[in-house]
Amino acid sequence: MPSTTTAPSAETKVRKKGRRARLILIVLVLALVAGVGFGAYWSISTVRASFPQTTGSLQLKGLTGGPVEVKRDDYGVPQVYADNDTDLFMAQGFVQAQDRFWEMDVRRHVTSGRLSEMFGKDQVETDAFLRTLGWRRVAQREYDTKLSPQTKKYLQAYAAGVNAYLEGKGPKDISVEYAALDFVHDYKVEKWTPVDSVAWLKAMAWDLRGNMQDEIDRSLMTSRLTPKQIKDLYPPYPTATHRPIVDGGSVSKVTGKYDPNREPGAGGGTGSTVQQATQGAQTQLARLSESLDKIPAFLGANGSGIGSNSWVVSGAYTTTGMPLLANDPHLAPMMPSLWYQMGLHCRTVSVTCGFDVAGYTFSGMPGVVIGHNQDISWGFTNLGADVTDLYLEKIAPGGTYLYDNQQKALATREEVIKVAGGKSKTITVRETNNGPLVSDRDDELEKVGKKAPVATSAPDRGEGYAVALKWTALEPGKSMDAVFELDRAKDFKSFRAAAKDFEVPSQNMIYADTKGNIGYQAPGRIPVRAKGYDGSVPAPGWDSKYNWKPAPIPFDQLPYEFNPKRGYIVTANQAVVDEKKYPYLLTRDWGYGTRSQRINDLIESKIKDGGKVSTEDMQKMQMDNSSEIAALLTPALLKIDVPDPSVREAQKLLEGWDYTQEPDSGAAAYFNAVWRNVLKLAFGNKLPKELRVEGECLNVRPPDSSGPVDDLNGLVRECGQRAADSAQPDGGDRWSEVVRRIFNDEKNEWWQTPKSRLDPATKTRDQLLARAMKDARWELTAKLGKDVSTWSWGQLHQLILKNQTLGTDGPGIVRFLLNRGPWNLGGGEAAVNATGWNAGGGDYSVTWVPSMRMVVNLKDFDKSKWINLTGASGHAYSAHYSDQTGKWARGEQLDWSFSARAVGASTVDTLTLKP
């Protein structure tokens, strides 16, 4: 790894030479192995042609002030210095394009539904779905009608910088991926536009959209589970044990009263219009779920509980006497990282140049998203507000739909999808008053089952109901304005003013300032639903009673806190408020607070009896690997009498275990295998095929059959249909809460399983646990070997960083060039060190990660710490492609220079951009 000293050390120079040598060797090996094709085509010059110039000077047409300096440290992280705002953002566009243009180009093709233009016919289905959602159309409307003139000026300057970089360059001069693409078909790089930047916020909002997958899953469960069983699998939030964010602090003045009749699933009980109609659209919802799996999840897999941690501690409880703020968003692992570290500095902060900010940005979008300026710091976690609803629509011949007993005309538009190497495809997008018909996007939609019950108040289903999506992000907003307002905010008042414009995605926003204040704000455009309906299952689109109210929850009635008496604020996707103390419904589908409560406990244990929290303590908390579910299950597992000596040998690994999931822990490996098998036996095998992992087949009894549970006759072969990273039960803290609530009920129906050809039926909890222990033993024997002393969690729980395009589906030799790993990791699902894996997918590999980590020191910004998942560069075999990953995996963080003095001391390369 490169040194963090102010100039390249001898060791650094040796390592850089080593990298060059490895690059030459690898390319030569590829050429020898392949002989022709990619190996011969990708020469050393092709791989290195796109590496950016980082020293000397370049002319940048369009600059209006003096020269702009781009100072990079030993990890390639740029700090930009300019004399006016437009020069600053023009330089930001130029520098991000230098390092990450391929990533930027792919993103804009995603958001506009044009992936087929890059990657061919296999992406047509995905493009059709994205065109139906219309992200790009909404972004254009935002730019035209909502954004301030100042924001437009910044976006235009950024686009000009990107295009200045692209001018005169051929594809291979921009990125090596274009060389690979050019080998398949002729691709022309287009100029960047301001709307390309705005549209990226729609992709971010999509992956953080709330409970849409839960809404689908609950509906699909009705084919096999009773309403009571479904309610068991979505228990209420455990307010008594897992503290909400706003806990005894202030909530803005609100009007209205809490509705005690607004129970989970309200409007969805047995015999209701909602539940019956939902059962009449089973197949459409299943196909919709399959379509969702195909959409590129740049932030995380559908249904895996994308989360994040952030917390802030008041100076009264820190070693510095000023606040400390930590943040680590949990998103999909990718190469390069979603985040790009950067500083944007006006040499003199003034009316014409108002920025002095550093932090994490998105490539392709100006400004800083998470970080700090000279006065305040802020962080984000996903609030998880329910901002989507699915509506069942009764479509009639002739292009109409039923609404309040009247036929309304569908709005339609045609979209032409251009396909690289093939013929264009034209699709028709249809919309009701509730939104686009997302169920139109699969040619293989089947007929709804003829026996599906439909209440008398619902229309005849005919050939089935269509499914429309209502989503707050499909209306133009001002979130792009909010980014620049945050970057310039000076105090809590201006921070809240910026938060008011951050409409989608709805995020928990934490705050600290250099005057010692800490705070929290829940922003977002969050809908108000009709009384008696909570959005937990699809609604009847033909009935206006299920419409959203015209206005969302007013901003001044959203929860916030300022300097709470307890002296700290923790947000980790738990409930924002105790719903019985708040009149509005934010969501029913919170994270269940396992991570947040652990962070609360760690802070309290540190500050009790006058203790103080340091920057190092904050970093250690971010790496906490403790498993709450292990603390519950392990004592019971150790009490089980295990006759099989091989299983008993594995059981002994749990003796004396402290429930921490370190990479070298054999106990953590065995426990997580047991946990996966507990979930599979108790719940997973009882779920409908649409939720189980694709390719996993079971002999099951048809839902409408009868007969003794132990009778192995009359079973049918049924195979799962869900992608591995979104299958259920995924093992997140919702499932921990499900198990906790039934754990002491040793004869609960969920512990009961039918016999198989190898195992007897289970009737009690301990019988099921014993079977899970046996299954886990033989599973790990196959994966890790017979000798349990050689087992380790890191061997199972590995991270491989993949380029999200050619690194996943490209030729093997291209994947070899672009991907990195594996790394053996600790942590796990629902741990603070949230290296997530999906228990339903049958694998322990890492599916989501702390995508970056930061700890901001409000006493001295130059003593803050940060780390990225990969590196600054998106260029394969750049020295900065993955140079932060090893430190990230070990929980280490880099010094974060901010002041001009500190940046100057850490600078190793300076590029001057001249007008």
Side-chain angles (χ1 to χ4, degrees), residues 711-755:
D711 184 5
L712 297 181
N713 296 316
L715 302 182
V716 296
R717 193 72 168 162
E718 185 183 82
C719 298
Q721 298 178 351
R722 184 67 63 85
D725 58 4
S726 58
Q728 293 295 335
D730 62 21
D733 61 359
R734 172 166 69 89
W735 293 99
S736 299
E737 180 62 12
V738 169
V739 170
R740 187 193 68 79
R741 290 172 68 87
I742 67 170
F743 194 68
N744 293 325
D745 182 2
E746 296 188 21
K747 294 184 179 180
N748 189 282
E749 66 171 338
W750 289 108
W751 303 124
Q752 299 170 19
T753 65
K755 75 176 181 179

Side-chain angles (χ1 to χ4, degrees), residues 315 317-322 324 612-617:
Y317 298 110
T318 68
T319 57
T320 67
M322 291 294 284
L324 293 172
K612 302 287 185 178
V613 177
S614 67
T615 299
E616 292 73 21
D617 292 328

Side-chain angles (χ1 to χ4, degrees), residues 214-433:
D214 288 318
E215 193 173 336
I216 293 171
D217 288 355
R218 273 188 289 261
S219 301
L220 294 173
M221 287 179 184
T222 60
S223 69
R224 192 167 290 273
L225 303 179
T226 67
K228 178 188 178 301
Q229 288 173 321
I230 296 172
K231 188 175 181 179
D232 286 346
L233 301 186
Y234 289 89
Y237 183 85
T239 307
T241 57
H242 292 170
R243 184 183 306 165
I245 296 171
V246 177
D247 176 38
S250 46
V251 176
S252 293
K253 294 179 180 179
V254 294
T255 59
K257 294 174 63 178
Y258 168 72
D259 178 6
N261 296 317
R262 192 183 63 206
E263 294 298 328
T270 302
S272 72
T273 299
V274 178
Q275 187 76 14
Q276 302 283 8
T278 297
Q279 288 177 329
Q282 289 287 324
T283 306
Q284 280 88 338
L285 292 170
R287 306 299 295 198
L288 172 58
S289 183
E290 292 177 18
S291 295
L292 297 181
D293 279 335
K294 296 174 184 176
I295 296 178
F298 282 104
L299 306 187
N302 288 314
S304 70
I306 294 174
S308 300
N309 301 322
S310 71
W311 65 95
V312 60
V313 181
S314 166
Y317 298 110
T318 68
T319 57
T320 67
M322 291 294 284
L324 293 172
L325 184 150
N327 196 189
D328 55 283
H330 307 155
L331 306 171
M334 61 187 69
M335 175 62 76
S337 166
L338 181 82
W339 299 107
Y340 184 89
Q341 296 153 290
M342 199 170 199
L344 300 171
H345 307 278
C346 293
R347 292 191 178 96
T348 301
V349 177
S350 64
V351 174
T352 58
C353 199
F355 295 88
D356 189 15
V357 61
Y360 294 86
T361 72
F362 292 133
S363 300
M365 201 176 89
V368 168
V369 177
I370 294 175
H372 70 83
N373 59 31
Q374 68 272 41
D375 297 304
I376 76 164
S377 179
W378 66 94
F380 285 163
T381 64
N382 194 25
L383 192 152
D386 186 358
V387 295
T388 61
D389 275 339
L390 295 173
Y391 282 84
L392 307 178
E393 305 285 4
K394 176 59 181 175
I395 307 300
T400 64
Y401 65 98
L402 184 65
Y403 184 69
D404 280 350
N405 296 316
Q406 295 182 352
Q407 295 298 323
K408 302 285 187 180
L410 287 163
T412 62
R413 69 176 189 272
E414 286 193 345
E415 297 271 355
V416 178
I417 299 172
K418 297 179 181 179
V419 182
K423 294 182 179 179
S424 298
K425 179 177 180 178
T426 300
I427 64 168
T428 300
V429 178
R430 304 189 296 171
E431 295 188 15
T432 72
N433 61 324

Side-chain angles (χ1 to χ4, degrees), residues 627 629-642 646-661 665-676 678 743 769-770 772-774 776-777 780 788-789 791 793:
S627 170
I629 191 62
L632 175 68
L633 263 62
T634 301
L637 295 173
L638 287 170
K639 291 179 182 178
I640 294 174
D641 183 19
V642 177
S646 294
V647 180
R648 191 163 63 249
E649 186 180 34
Q651 182 189 36
K652 288 182 178 180
L653 290 173
L654 302 177
E655 293 178 356
W657 182 43
D658 63 358
Y659 316 131
T660 60
Q661 302 167 98
S665 171
Y670 182 56
F671 174 78
N672 281 304
V674 173
W675 171 233
R676 190 186 82 80
V678 167
F743 194 68
L769 294 181
M773 291 171 70
K774 184 198 75 170
R777 187 353 165 171
L780 294 198
V788 300
S789 68
W791 291 358
W793 177 224

Side-chain angles (χ1 to χ4, degrees), residues 100 336-337 339 341 868-873 880-885:
R100 299 280 193 95
S337 166
W339 299 107
Q341 296 153 290
N868 206 350
L869 174 63
T870 60
S873 180
H880 305 304
Y881 190 53
S882 59
D883 57 343
Q884 296 186 47
T885 309

Side-chain angles (χ1 to χ4, degrees), residues 691-702:
L691 275 68
R692 301 200 315 270
V693 67
E694 184 178 7
E696 184 178 276
C697 301
L698 299 171
N699 293 320
V700 300
R701 190 173 305 284

Side-chain angles (χ1 to χ4, degrees), residues 548-623:
W548 291 356
K549 301 296 183 183
I553 300 174
F555 179 79
D556 62 4
Q557 297 184 37
L558 289 169
Y560 81 99
E561 283 190 310
F562 187 64
N563 291 330
K565 290 182 180 179
R566 64 182 177 279
Y568 60 89
I569 302 169
V570 176
T571 86
N573 318 114
Q574 78 272 40
V576 173
V577 292
D578 182 342
E579 65 176 22
K580 294 183 180 180
K581 300 178 182 178
Y582 187 69
Y584 294 106
L585 175 68
L586 298 176
T587 186
R588 292 288 182 195
D589 293 305
W590 303 109
Y592 278 75
T594 299
R595 284 179 285 108
S596 62
Q597 192 56 46
R598 176 63 177 171
I599 297 166
N600 274 297
D601 293 344
L602 289 170
I603 295 172
E604 289 181 357
S605 68
K606 189 68 182 179
I607 66 177
K608 70 178 181 181
D609 302 324
K612 302 287 185 178
V613 177
S614 67
T615 299
E616 292 73 21
D617 292 328
M618 301 282 273
Q619 290 178 252
K620 289 178 181 176
M621 291 178 193
Q622 288 179 324
M623 294 301 293

